[in-house]
Amino acid sequence: AQKVTQAQTEISVVEKEDVTLDCVYETRDTTYYLFWYKQPPSGELVFLIRRNSFDEQNEISGRYSWNFQKSTSSFNFTITASQVVDSAVYFCALSEAEGSQGNLIFGKGTKLSVKP
Amino acid sequence: NAGVTQTPKFQVLKTGQSMTLQCAQDMNHNSMYWYRQDPGMGLRLIYYSASEGTTDKGEVPNGYNVSRLNKREFSLRLESAAPSQTSVYFCASTRDGQPQHFGDGTRLSIL
């Protein structure tokens, strides 16, 4: 069965610190997608990144970076020089390959608080 | 550029009342989904519709029904609301290979 584990329930950092959010997944599929979504205090879900299982290259987008390692079934998310606006709940999610129903299996989320 | 629109945004019901949550998307997506979000539980899939005319159960379907009215609209119905269904409900849509787009959510309280 598919499963996503975000072991960190809450993290609190001071502005400008770097922070890494962990995500470990389980799947028997050889082809799958991994996602990160952000949920700010306003409640909407904001898509951040999608990665397919054949692309293990790390990705950087501004202060955000993602480290995908199939060997450890992990897809970790790092925020460099955190800002107060990064305070949110972050969800990691997994779905089956393209062409399927695309159902997302979510982790329980990590609440990040960035203090000034 | 509306994306995924959910109505209503907030609702309070009494136990035993019925209610339909509405969802519409304007992105010509094939697949639509209903999730519920409870504290500490992340989002869990209630029902999904892979294409117009089809619906399937997700992880937590009990107490709910859905209708894929057309390609744009996917509604979620609570026939007899229970306090355990107090939650935030999200509708989402996608097409093959694309990330899901979410609505802003419906906050539902059942007394």
Side-chain angles (χ1 to χ4, degrees):
Chain A
Q2 296 182 326
K3 184 180 179 181
V4 175
T5 302
Q6 294 180 256
Q8 305 148 309
T9 305
E10 293 192 41
I11 301 175
S12 182
V13 300
V14 176
E15 208 169 19
K16 297 185 183 177
E17 284 186 20
D18 298 347
V19 57
T20 295
L21 310 182
D22 298 332
C23 174
V24 174
Y25 62 92
E26 296 176 29
T27 179
R28 285 177 288 190
D29 293 340
T30 55
T31 305
Y32 50 88
Y33 288 101
L34 294 164
F35 302 78
W36 277 94
Y37 283 85
K38 174 182 180 180
Q39 187 176 42
S42 50
E44 72 273 22
L45 283 154
V46 179
F47 165 76
L48 295 178
I49 189 170
R50 182 190 70 162
R51 174 68 70 209
N52 75 54
S53 54
F54 295 110
D55 184 358
E56 286 193 72
Q57 283 190 341
N58 291 335
E59 180 151 343
I60 298 174
S61 177
R63 295 183 297 106
Y64 295 172
S65 62
W66 291 269
N67 184 300
F68 175 30
Q69 292 195 345
K70 288 180 76 171
S71 60
T72 56
S73 297
S74 65
F75 186 44
N76 296 337
F77 173 31
T78 297
I79 302 174
T80 302
S82 59
Q83 299 176 2
V84 172
V85 294
D86 296 327
S87 296
V89 180
Y90 291 86
F91 291 99
C92 181
L94 168 71
S95 77
E96 296 175 334
E98 184 171 348
S100 74
Q101 298 87 354
N103 300 340
L104 288 173
I105 306 297
F106 282 86
K108 294 183 178 181
T110 297
K111 183 178 181 179
L112 174 64
S113 298
V114 181
K115 303 187 185 308
Chain B
N1 189 16
V4 178
T5 302
Q6 290 183 235
T7 55
K9 294 190 185 307
F10 303 93
Q11 185 70 48
V12 178
L13 294 178
K14 294 182 180 178
T15 296
Q17 287 185 317
S18 62
M19 163 117 200
T20 298
L21 307 186
Q22 306 287 353
C23 175
Q25 52 90 10
D26 62 1
M27 296 173 283
N28 200 35
H29 286 169
N30 297 320
S31 302
M32 297 185 73
Y33 311 82
W34 276 105
Y35 294 88
R36 61 178 288 173
Q37 182 180 20
D38 301 297
M41 296 295 294
L43 279 80
R44 293 180 293 169
L45 183 66
I46 305 171
Y47 270 93
Y48 65 96
S49 170
S51 61
E52 186 178 353
T54 68
T55 61
D56 285 285
K57 296 179 180 179
E59 180 185 353
V60 289
N62 291 344
Y64 305 95
N65 287 301
V66 290
S67 296
R68 183 73 182 268
L69 304 170
N70 47 56
K71 191 170 187 178
R72 291 187 63 249
E73 298 172 287
F74 188 39
S75 63
L76 178 71
R77 183 161 177 85
L78 288 70
E79 290 290 352
S80 179
S84 61
Q85 294 177 305
T86 292
S87 189
V88 181
Y89 291 85
F90 286 95
C91 178
S93 70
T94 189
R95 58 189 304 171
D96 282 354
Q98 300 301 314
Q100 290 188 14
H101 293 257
F102 285 83
D104 288 341
T106 294
R107 192 172 296 273
L108 183 62
S109 294
I110 299 161
L111 308 177

